[in-house]
Amino acid sequence: MRAKENPFKPTAGGEPPLLIGRKRIIRDFEKGLDNGVGAPGRIMLITGARGTGKTVMLTVFGDRARARKWDVIEETASEGLCERLVNELRARDAALDRLSIRPSLSFAGVGVSLGEADLSPKRMPETLRKAMAERLSSLEKRHAGLLISIDETQAAERSDMIAIATAIQHQIRERRNIAIVFAGLPQMVSDLFNDEVITFLRRARTNVLTDIPIDEVRSALATTFETSGMTITEKQLQVAAQSTAGYPYMIQLVGYHIWDAGDLRDSDTISDQDVHDGLVEARKDLDNAVCIPELHGLSRRDREYLEAMSQSDGPVSTAEVAERMGKSANYAATYRKRLLDAYVIRETERGEVDFAVPFLREYLRRVAA
């Protein structure tokens, strides 16, 4: 019997029913928790292009930690990160002081506020360290630990990363039961972690999320359709798997829309038309969720550089891109750097450039056609 609920979950950060190609990373994390203080998996960095499942991994890690009765704090890097962490660390213990204090005096029974005394950024490493220590002391009474996960790490302020690195380093020195996982885009995170002041974080176990082999995609799709009560042929599975190019977000989109097309007909059997219609809808969703937002805010020249790149099926040299643009190599190099910094493109080992955003090449070709 066909399930009532679509088993595929193409929602950002949502945990899909079947995690493909990530078992080793999850095992490393779990072993880190189970093997105690100093285990490699307790400081981890998850990187990969947009849509490869970084946020999903943080969600999974949080679930696995909670299953072990650990407390979990999940944050996204942005302005005020450390202040939010301190508040989270102290939130579950009413006896602890708050981040800000509001001193006041009383004259003849009338209270007079002296204003809010905010803690300065210079004091933040000390404040965060103390808040972590207090929370961990409370947790140790019930033999539990603390996991902190930080998403979009490339957006973190340098001062926040220094404070976090300092606080974590002290907890590990004191053999406290803590783990931390960072997730972010490869190039930006690499720049951040190469900061001389944050060298401690270089010890993090790095896991790069890449595309999933097509055979594994096909097998995962087959299992998910079968488990949900939908019949799908080997040929249809192969077409569906190939269309994803192994891109994790596209895998969920393709599965979701093909399953939905069959369900719309109130059928337990996927037809070739369901596959066709599902792929069309999946591409639309991918364009709207990934490709179009990626191009938003880029200059006309940035787009010209990308359009010139899209004429190649793979990596291409800046000299060749410049020639297609009708510009000098030095001129094109300016836009190459801008796009590299934004992680829209990436540099290959041979010094050529390729798209860092999956399916962006195909989108640009369709738009230009």
Side-chain angles (χ1 to χ4, degrees):
M1 180 181 292
R2 184 175 79 256
K4 293 182 179 180
E5 181 181 344
N6 193 318
F8 296 94
K9 308 296 179 188
T11 305
E15 183 176 347
L18 193 61
L19 285 165
I20 315 169
R22 309 301 189 218
K23 289 182 180 179
R24 182 191 61 78
I25 299 173
I26 295 171
R27 181 182 181 277
D28 285 349
F29 174 76
E30 291 183 311
K31 284 294 184 181
L33 299 187
D34 296 340
N35 288 340
V37 178
R42 289 204 171 196
I43 307 176
M44 190 174 283
L45 171 62
I46 305 293
T47 74
R50 294 176 179 88
T52 50
K54 298 182 294 297
T55 303
V56 169
M57 294 308 301
L58 296 185
T59 300
V60 172
F61 289 168
D63 291 344
R64 302 302 165 93
R66 290 186 187 94
R68 289 163 170 76
K69 309 302 181 185
W70 280 45
D71 277 3
V72 179
I73 294 177
E74 297 165 317
E75 264 296 345
T76 299
S78 61
E79 185 178 356
L81 171 61
C82 280
E83 287 86 346
R84 294 195 302 277
L85 284 175
V86 171
N87 281 331
E88 284 279 350
L89 287 163
R90 294 176 167 177
R92 299 183 192 180
D93 193 337
L96 296 176
D97 295 332
R98 291 294 179 182
L99 173 63
S100 300
I101 57 174
R102 292 179 172 83
S104 62
L105 296 176
S106 179
F107 296 96
V110 179
V112 180
S113 174
L114 298 182
E116 184 174 323
D118 290 316
L119 297 175
S120 70
K122 291 182 179 179
R123 296 286 303 278
M124 186 49 70
E126 176 188 344
T127 304
L128 186 59
R129 174 186 171 186
K130 182 180 178 182
M132 278 187 191
E134 290 170 339
R135 180 67 165 270
L136 287 165
S137 293
S138 176
L139 288 169
E140 284 167 3
K141 294 175 183 176
R142 52 186 175 92
H143 306 288
L146 172 67
L147 167 66
I148 297 174
S149 70
I150 300 175
D151 204 0
E152 303 292 349
T153 305
Q154 72 277 353
E157 297 286 342
R158 181 173 180 269
S159 58
D160 281 340
M161 290 301 294
I162 291 172
I164 292 167
T166 301
I168 292 291
Q169 186 170 15
H170 278 287
Q171 306 314 316
I172 292 175
R173 280 180 184 169
E174 295 166 11
R175 302 194 62 76
R176 309 304 292 269
N177 209 15
I178 192 168
I180 188 163
V181 183
F182 302 92
L185 299 175
Q187 191 164 318
M188 296 181 184
V189 171
S190 175
D191 292 343
L192 191 61
F193 277 61
N194 282 333
D195 191 308
E196 289 300 320
V197 185
I198 316 175
T199 52
F200 166 72
L201 293 180
R202 293 181 191 172
R203 303 178 196 174
R205 170 163 285 188
T206 301
N207 291 285
V208 181
L209 302 186
T210 56
D211 292 338
I212 310 297
I214 297 301
D215 285 348
E216 291 186 33
V217 175
R218 191 207 60 75
S219 177
L221 289 173
T223 300
T224 307
F225 274 97
E226 180 182 353
T227 303
S228 69
M230 279 282 197
T231 300
I232 185 169
T233 69
E234 284 296 323
K235 183 179 179 181
Q236 290 168 344
L237 282 170
Q238 193 62 28
V239 170
Q242 290 286 355
S243 74
T244 70
Y247 181 42
Y249 182 49
M250 189 61 164
I251 294 169
Q252 294 299 319
L253 285 174
V254 166
Y256 179 88
H257 284 294
I258 291 176
W259 195 96
D260 191 59
D263 184 61
L264 188 64
R265 295 187 298 105
D266 197 25
S267 174
D268 296 341
T269 302
I270 296 297
S271 69
D272 289 346
Q273 189 64 44
D274 292 335
V275 174
H276 174 272
D277 293 346
L279 296 186
V280 170
E281 291 302 315
R283 290 191 192 101
K284 287 180 183 177
D285 278 0
L286 187 76
D287 289 348
N288 290 327
V290 176
C291 298
I292 293 174
E294 199 64 51
L295 296 173
H296 182 71
L298 295 182
S299 72
R300 183 167 60 88
R301 295 299 185 191
D302 289 332
R303 289 195 57 150
E304 285 179 8
Y305 189 100
L306 294 174
E307 288 162 2
M309 277 183 62
S310 71
Q311 296 175 33
S312 296
D313 293 330
V316 60
S317 69
T318 293
E320 190 170 348
V321 172
E323 184 177 344
R324 292 171 185 172
M325 294 174 68
K327 302 292 183 180
S328 69
N330 286 339
Y331 179 93
T334 300
Y335 298 97
R336 175 183 184 273
K337 183 180 186 306
R338 283 162 54 100
L339 293 166
L340 282 171
D341 289 344
Y343 203 66
V344 179
I345 64 175
R346 61 182 178 84
E347 190 172 26
T348 67
E349 292 180 359
R350 297 175 56 186
E352 297 175 322
V353 289
D354 200 358
F355 286 93
V357 180
F359 290 93
L360 186 56
R361 184 197 327 271
E362 291 77 7
Y363 173 78
L364 289 168
R365 286 176 173 178
R366 289 201 309 274
V367 171

